[in-house]
Amino acid sequence: VMPDALVIIDSPEFTHPIAKRVRKKASQIPIINYVSPTIWAWRPGRAKKMKPYVDEVLALLPFEPAYHQKLGGPSCHYVGHPLIEKKAWIEDLDLDGFEKRYGLQANKKSFVVLPGSRPNEVKHLLAPFGDVVGKLQESLGSLNLLLPTVSSMRVKIAEGVKQWPVKPILISSDEDKFAAFKYADAALAASGTVTLELAITGTPMVVAYKVDSYLKILSALIQTEMIALANHILGQKAFPELIQEECTVHNIVKELLPLFDQSSQAYQDQKQHLNLIDERMFAAGSQPSRIAAKQCLKTMQTR
């Protein structure tokens, strides 16, 4: 039976060759690409190359349709990020229960540290992030220190933090990760989707990144000038990015300290920008999966 449409989801190195073959064998089948390749950061020429075999791109990020249009890519609609559907759930998280469960002290400043989910990230970031924690404790006093981690990195991280001046509480569950974000006064994060997760929870942040693959990161920076998704959505570096040589303990602490003072300009500016991210992320609506389904049906009907 001939399908009414083909929806390819992310993983362009795998899904796009399949889409090309389907277009060649059955050109009448509409092809919809759910999750745009990162043409805004890496290999922008892919946008134009997609157009012959992709009829519609469903974008997770609000700035992506403009990039496809500028680069000569397929029709592209912003349908919203799946994180949006977690917003109401996040707002209902029981922070009192979270505080009691982990023995946190309400009179202490709370800090979330996110050294990445890949071995190369953890290798380069765990030690300097630990030094940052030590400097923050000197300035702020004892901290509630929280470190969400993926299960595959938990053993490596648990071993690495033994050298830290303050031992963090390691968190593995998705619910407690978002509770930690919401509970925290500020966060230090490696780049990635986590900056968007922090933005959704309204957590002030500093982004720091240092890995071996410098040339690849440099190429991405040439294309975008920013690496944090939260900053891309705003079109400006609202949240400090300290990359490679700038990723020093001194620089990180300098950017973080004002975020623990709610009267500081840095804190207030970040809160305003976090509210703006909410507005832009919700521009398509509050149910991305339903919006994506409707757009698929529309593409099938109009092609």
Side-chain angles (χ1 to χ4, degrees), residues 273-284:
H273 285 118
L274 288 165
N275 289 334
L276 186 56
I277 284 182
D278 259 10
E279 291 177 19
R280 296 189 180 179
M281 289 293 288
F282 277 83

Side-chain angles (χ1 to χ4, degrees), residues 60 62 78 80-81 83-88 90-91 178 182 195-203 205 229-231 233-234 239 270-288:
L60 304 190
Y78 172 56
H81 198 285
L83 275 173
I84 289 171
E85 297 186 12
K86 286 188 173 183
K87 183 70 173 179
I90 290 168
E91 290 176 350
F178 280 100
K182 191 176 178 183
T195 66
L196 205 53
E197 293 176 335
L198 289 166
I200 288 289
T201 56
T203 311
M205 73 186 91
L229 288 178
N231 282 334
I233 289 170
L234 295 171
F239 310 102
Q270 284 216 16
K271 279 297 187 179
Q272 288 180 358
H273 285 118
L274 288 165
N275 289 334
L276 186 56
I277 284 182
D278 259 10
E279 291 177 19
R280 296 189 180 179
M281 289 293 288
F282 277 83
S286 61
Q287 295 181 300

Side-chain angles (χ1 to χ4, degrees), residues 156-298:
K156 184 177 182 67
I157 287 175
E159 185 63 30
V161 299
K162 287 180 179 178
Q163 308 304 318
W164 284 20
V166 182
K167 301 303 181 289
I169 296 170
L170 300 188
I171 293 170
S172 297
S173 77
D174 200 49
E175 180 177 343
D176 284 351
K177 176 183 76 171
F178 280 100
F181 292 172
K182 191 176 178 183
Y183 186 85
D185 294 288
L188 171 61
S191 180
T193 304
V194 72
T195 66
L196 205 53
E197 293 176 335
L198 289 166
I200 288 289
T201 56
T203 311
M205 73 186 91
V206 170
V207 179
Y209 205 74
K210 188 173 185 178
V211 293
D212 286 331
S213 51
Y214 179 66
L215 292 178
K216 182 174 180 179
I217 292 175
L218 181 60
S219 297
L221 290 172
I222 289 171
Q223 293 294 332
T224 67
E225 298 182 351
M226 295 176 286
I227 66 168
L229 288 178
N231 282 334
H232 276 294
I233 289 170
L234 295 171
Q236 61 177 301
K237 288 184 181 178
F239 310 102
E241 296 183 4
L242 301 170
I243 312 303
Q244 293 301 110
E245 288 86 354
E246 293 182 351
C247 181
T248 67
V249 173
H250 172 80
N251 288 345
I252 295 170
V253 172
K254 182 181 177 182
E255 296 288 357
L256 274 172
L257 273 175
L259 300 182
F260 290 92
D261 177 6
Q262 294 187 12
S263 66
S264 73
Q265 192 64 50
Y267 175 88
Q268 291 176 18
D269 286 348
Q270 284 216 16
K271 279 297 187 179
Q272 288 180 358
H273 285 118
L274 288 165
N275 289 334
L276 186 56
I277 284 182
D278 259 10
E279 291 177 19
R280 296 189 180 179
M281 289 293 288
F282 277 83
S286 61
Q287 295 181 300
S289 55
R290 185 176 294 274
I291 296 164
K294 287 182 177 179
Q295 189 60 47
C296 285
L297 291 172
K298 183 177 179 181

Side-chain angles (χ1 to χ4, degrees), residues 36 39-40 44 46-48 50-51 56-57 59 62-78:
S36 172
I39 56 168
W40 39 273
R46 287 179 295 175
K48 194 171 184 178
M50 289 168 59
K51 195 166 185 178
E56 181 74 40
V57 177
F63 58 83
E64 290 178 318
Y67 272 95
H68 277 279
Q69 184 175 18
K70 176 183 177 181
L71 297 170
S75 171
C76 179
H77 283 81
Y78 172 56

Side-chain angles (χ1 to χ4, degrees), residues 88-145:
W89 170 74
I90 290 168
E91 290 176 350
D92 288 338
L93 288 172
D94 177 14
L95 295 189
D96 288 337
F98 174 77
E99 183 179 82
K100 291 176 182 177
R101 191 158 59 252
Y102 287 100
L104 306 178
Q105 297 182 38
N107 62 331
K108 293 182 179 180
K109 296 293 186 182
S110 297
F111 182 42
V112 167
V113 184
L114 299 146
S117 57
R118 300 182 181 92
N120 198 33
E121 294 170 339
V122 172
K123 172 185 173 184
H124 286 86
L125 296 175
L126 202 60
F129 280 16
D131 292 338
V132 167
V133 168
K135 293 294 184 183
L136 287 179
Q137 182 169 252
E138 290 175 9
S139 298
L140 301 171
S142 183
L143 298 165
N144 291 315
L145 185 59

